[in-house]
């Protein structure tokens, strides 16, 4: 499987705490544990030409992973639209954490994707709400993270096709933190955890979820339906 | 209830057949049968300033009905975005027929909204697939239309919250022809029939569906959730 | 609207704490605040003939509210089946708290309806997860209950049509605590809070939810679809 | 994968037409094309001890396929309940055609599962309504069957998790003919075609759907969640 991990890659260069946790960037950490699975993994970042997401790169990508936060506005409209169209054509998409406010995710959802948030070292516990879902394979009943940013309801998304995880936060909130959506021929998984100042993507269970999700969102080269003007398949009676 | 009926209003001025069926425009026909229900009904058309959809008009609109076809591209980006934001804030929206390709609907759905079509006087039979739904109140098991344009699957929309009608077409196709979606605080009903060269909006059962849908999509002035930075509701332990 | 409030009515007679909170039974407390809305409210209890749920009573009931806990097994199979059939025929149903394990609810869901639980004075906070839903009208962002029994995920129900509330519990769990389901012509709302040793049904916000839910689940005398052998509506060609 | 094909196996012994099409029974025809896929396939029939569905057989079955029609009532209550419990525990289930009225399916759905029907050699065309679904892999836009029994809406099932196929019938009806449901840890696919007097299960495309569905409903030995009394994960404050 060809996986492309996209990262804004700004916090890591500007903030010592983040640099310490992800010295080569969040994208490299994610790429490494996906390579263990035997995937062909590329990375792409905001500051590359076309944000590293040329037509060629996207055409060869089965699953795109998206992490962005402080520079959503710097993502060019045409690149965001290109990614969206590629998802509709069948590429899998995993949107992580603050990617909820990315142009790509908002375009695909059609809503504000707004939510509550707090950076206060909340403990987070992600409960499995759909234990039959392949994305939960290998997990126990919940994943516990000692410290994370809080995201709280209401999360302004369309009713998800499936709610896979629901988070409990120490400060008193809840959040639908793992949700799936089909759009066109593409499958999408939104996964909440992953604030840049925490070591979340080094957590083995979080890695397991992302590994599972790569398999789940992966397209299967199914043919696009035929749209447009269509000849009748049955005879149509003449009318007055 | 304040209802605004928006119409592109071009076919009626350019095509004698359409003019004959809707001499004052599709919007007037729809407005008239909604007035019978006691609603305050306004109309708005593409060629008015801001397409008749000023901030003031939208702020006072509880339910917006949308009919467009040949001039989707002439709808200004900022007006389409304004309508979308108003839906997310709680205005009900009914999208009719070829409005599936309107900027407003595509922005709210996040998909291509593409489909099959044919203008060949197909008989259409809209079967009630969700008889407990208020939008079907007063109907029998199906609505039959002697002649209509065909729309066929695959219809490229997100999985609807509810599938209320499924159409059978004489030429051999099927279509999810009445579907509901919640987006933000707004409720949306897409209703398939209504090609401009047929007298569909004079049909009493079609009118009944639109009347029912106005009541169903109408917002209820519920408060918007609070988004953004949030103080903890419980004490958060100090961590290392 | 004709509402029937059904209660097992055992805890109140056997436990002084419960008796103190609900001296005339949980059913009377619920009946009283629903009468304020102008509904015609009856009550029925386990120890009545046919559990108070004769064919006549059910035929005249628009909305049935169900509270049971320790005596689910004493509900006769044929009465549970009768209630189920009446729901499928269009009667609204609100299942409260421990009613998740009632015969009626399990028959309608088709799953075990199992869950985690704990009686330990957990604080509960019910977050509104679907602010556009009529069942949340008049509420703020959440309802807070100082003390309640905990119910935790995984809750073994089919994917609900809508998730209206998600609960946070002091002891670390979450729960989909307000969920809707359509079954046949009937609408169902499951609402989690209401352990008998707490004064939950005296809480004004909890009462508001139940009042809203009565309106939401109420049927509308829509005709049943016609099932069984059907004549063709179109001519079928002779085949070899 | 261990697949068990269950068949009532009565029509084939009593009706020359059916015997001619399925000389060894519908179950043998299905078993044969599934063996081509490398699955371990067993068959079981109504007239065997415990209908061939002993605890041992079910414990070793990953996917159960069910065909029944005229003898639903002869399936023992305890065997139907046993199959249901095994589905909830993770066994995949494919229900074919008239199996919509089987005890197993009705127990899992909670509704009447009623529908319209007609035996009149209708042409059927099953349109793919969800082209991104793995169950549609390898298919074109639709499957056409020259002659089949008609099933028409309204089909009284809970809102399916996914609608994969919608059928068009020559006589004028439509039907949600391929639908998925998760119940407990089990996945269910209902697939409409397969009246005993037609050669439907010899059709290569119909076989492809059933092959795809076997892979899709197959469980993955995920651990059951823990239900029942639970200790707190966080400290609960003492209350008054």
């Amino acid at each position: 499987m060809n996986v492309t991990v996209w990262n804004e890659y700004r916090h890591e260069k500007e903030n010592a705490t983040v640099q310490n946790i992800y010295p080569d960037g969040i994208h490299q950490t994610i790429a490494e544990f996906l390579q263990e699975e035997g995937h062909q993994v590329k990375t792409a970042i905001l500051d590359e030409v076309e944000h590293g997401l040329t037509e060629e790169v996207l055409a060869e990508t089965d699953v795109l992973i998206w992490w962005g936060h402080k520079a959503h506005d710097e993502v060019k409209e045409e690149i965001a639209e290109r990614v969206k169209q590629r998802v509709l054509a069948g590429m899998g998409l995993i949107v992580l954490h603050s990617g909820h406010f990315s142009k790509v995710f908002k375009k695909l959802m059609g809503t504000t994707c707004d939510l509550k948030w707090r950076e206060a070292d909340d403990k987070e516990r992600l409960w499995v709400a759909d234990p039959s879902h392949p994305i939960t394979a290998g997990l126990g009943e919940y994943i516990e993270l000692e410290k994370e940013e809080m995201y709280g309801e209401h999360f302004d998304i369309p009713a998800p096709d499936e709610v896979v995880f629901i988070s409990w936060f120490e400060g008193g909130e809840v959040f639908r933190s793992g949700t799936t959506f089909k759009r066109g021929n593409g499958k999408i998984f939104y996964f909440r955890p992953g604030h840049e100042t925490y070591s979340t993507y080094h957590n083995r269970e979080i890695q397991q979820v992302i590994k599972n999700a790569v398999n789940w969102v992966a397209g299967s080269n199914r043919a696009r339906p035929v749209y447009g003007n269509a000849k009748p398949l049955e005879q149509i009676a003449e009318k007055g």
Side-chain angles (χ1 to χ4, degrees), chain A residues 4-237:
Chain A
T4 301
V5 184
W6 191 89
N7 184 15
E8 186 180 279
Y9 198 30
R10 291 282 173 84
H11 291 287
E12 298 94 327
K13 291 190 274 192
E14 298 169 7
N15 179 313
T17 303
V18 183
Q19 197 170 52
N20 210 36
I21 302 171
Y22 301 111
D24 300 314
I26 284 174
H27 51 297
Q28 284 301 339
T29 298
I30 294 174
E32 280 162 29
F33 67 73
L34 290 177
Q35 279 157 347
E36 293 170 11
E37 298 290 289
H39 299 308
Q40 296 294 319
V41 187
K42 288 179 183 160
T43 62
I45 59 170
L46 179 63
D47 290 334
E48 292 173 344
V49 175
E50 300 186 35
H51 312 321
L53 299 172
T54 61
E55 293 279 9
E56 294 70 33
V57 166
L58 287 177
E60 290 171 2
T61 298
D62 298 307
V63 175
L64 178 69
I65 296 179
W66 192 278
W67 198 101
H69 182 214
K70 62 186 298 186
H72 293 313
D73 286 349
E74 294 182 43
V75 174
K76 285 176 201 148
E77 177 64 21
E78 64 264 35
I79 306 296
E81 187 64 26
R82 182 190 290 168
V83 171
K84 173 184 163 181
Q85 293 304 327
R86 181 72 185 92
V87 171
L88 297 181
M91 179 179 71
L93 177 68
I94 299 173
V95 175
L96 295 173
H97 190 61
S98 41
H100 75 92
F101 257 170
S102 63
K103 288 183 181 177
V104 168
F105 191 61
K106 289 197 293 185
K107 276 172 177 285
L108 284 160
M109 294 296 105
T111 56
T112 67
C113 301
D114 213 341
L115 47 75
K116 281 193 168 51
W117 58 271
R118 176 175 61 239
E119 299 184 34
D121 288 356
D122 277 78
K123 184 190 292 186
E124 176 176 12
R125 189 176 292 114
L126 296 103
W127 286 92
V128 172
D130 186 350
S132 71
H133 203 288
I135 285 179
T136 69
L139 301 179
E141 291 203 291
Y142 57 81
I143 299 171
E144 193 170 305
L145 300 171
E146 190 202 2
K147 297 185 283 188
E148 253 290 356
E149 184 180 2
M150 182 280 294
Y151 280 6
E153 294 283 344
H154 174 244
F155 186 18
D156 185 23
I157 48 173
D161 294 346
E162 298 163 312
V163 177
V164 182
F165 296 102
I166 298 174
S167 282
W168 176 99
F169 287 98
E170 190 178 1
E173 292 85 1
V174 298
F175 195 75
R176 289 168 292 169
S177 53
T179 46
T180 75
F181 307 88
K182 286 194 275 194
R183 291 296 182 268
N185 253 6
K187 292 164 87 176
I188 302 168
F189 180 58
Y190 173 78
F191 192 44
R192 197 214 76 82
H195 190 60
E196 66 274 6
T197 60
Y198 303 113
S199 61
T200 300
Y201 297 119
H202 294 292
N203 179 298
R204 282 285 165 196
E205 289 175 302
I206 296 296
Q207 293 179 1
Q208 186 63 52
V209 171
I210 296 173
K211 289 173 180 178
N212 292 342
V214 164
N215 290 322
W216 189 82
V217 301
S220 46
N221 299 318
R222 277 182 282 281
R224 289 285 281 170
V226 180
Y227 298 113
N229 202 346
K231 288 187 182 157
L233 300 160
E234 305 290 331
Q235 197 176 342
I236 298 170

